[in-house]
Amino acid sequence: MKKSICMAMVMILAAFWLTGCSSTKLADGFDEATVKETVQKAVDHLIAGEYEECMEMMSQEMQEALTEEALAAAAGDVMAAAGEFQEYKSIAVVGQKDQSGADCAVAVAVASFENNKITYTVSFNADMEIIGFYMK
């Protein structure tokens, strides 16, 4: 139950920030390689159980909406079922605009684990802070 509530909160916050997105071109303020490195760093923290470090990468709004305990519970459950991490299959980056019209970057990282794959969708603001996080 807690896991569902936590994931719903993260998805709602991500949807809130990305409402009205239409562009897929990465804005000039973002560097594709940096976005890819940053999403990989965030996911690496989750895989290692370093939830505090992952939380530190999030915007103030995300930190207020999602506690470290909630992140640990949601991520821990999903990744425990997935088994041991093997490799990143792909990381793609697109540009979008948030609800206020500000440019943001969305990275989709597909990670292969022992038992299945997990897709991480992570949104970043211009300061490269996480403003949306979803895993499936």
Side-chain angles (χ1 to χ4, degrees):
M1 176 80 168
K2 277 185 178 180
K3 177 182 158 189
S4 298
I5 292 170
C6 294
M7 289 309 295
M9 285 177 40
V10 172
M11 289 172 31
I12 290 168
L13 189 60
F16 170 77
W17 280 103
L18 298 175
T19 301
C21 300
S22 59
S23 175
T24 58
K25 183 178 182 293
L26 196 59
D28 290 337
F30 292 96
D31 175 65
E32 184 175 354
T34 301
V35 175
K36 287 181 176 182
E37 289 171 20
T38 307
V39 73
Q40 190 169 337
K41 181 178 175 183
V43 173
D44 286 347
H45 284 313
L46 285 182
I47 292 169
E50 299 168 346
Y51 304 112
E52 182 178 349
E53 289 82 351
C54 190
M55 291 294 297
E56 289 172 359
M57 297 177 70
M58 296 183 182
S59 69
Q60 185 66 37
E61 292 84 3
M62 279 289 291
Q63 290 179 20
E64 291 170 4
L66 180 68
T67 66
E68 182 179 335
E69 293 78 19
L71 177 64
D77 289 347
V78 171
M79 289 188 293
E84 190 171 327
F85 173 76
Q86 293 178 336
E87 67 179 334
Y88 288 99
K89 288 291 191 180
S90 64
I91 300 176
V93 177
V94 296
Q96 295 187 341
K97 293 199 179 284
D98 67 13
Q99 181 180 10
S100 67
D103 290 318
C104 58
V106 179
V108 179
V110 178
S112 181
F113 288 80
E114 183 178 29
N115 300 325
N116 63 10
K117 294 179 186 172
I118 299 176
T119 301
Y120 300 88
T121 304
V122 184
S123 305
F124 297 95
N125 63 16
D127 295 325
M128 289 306 296
E129 296 172 322
I130 296 172
I131 59 171
F133 198 103
Y134 178 74
M135 65 183 119
K136 174 179 135 180

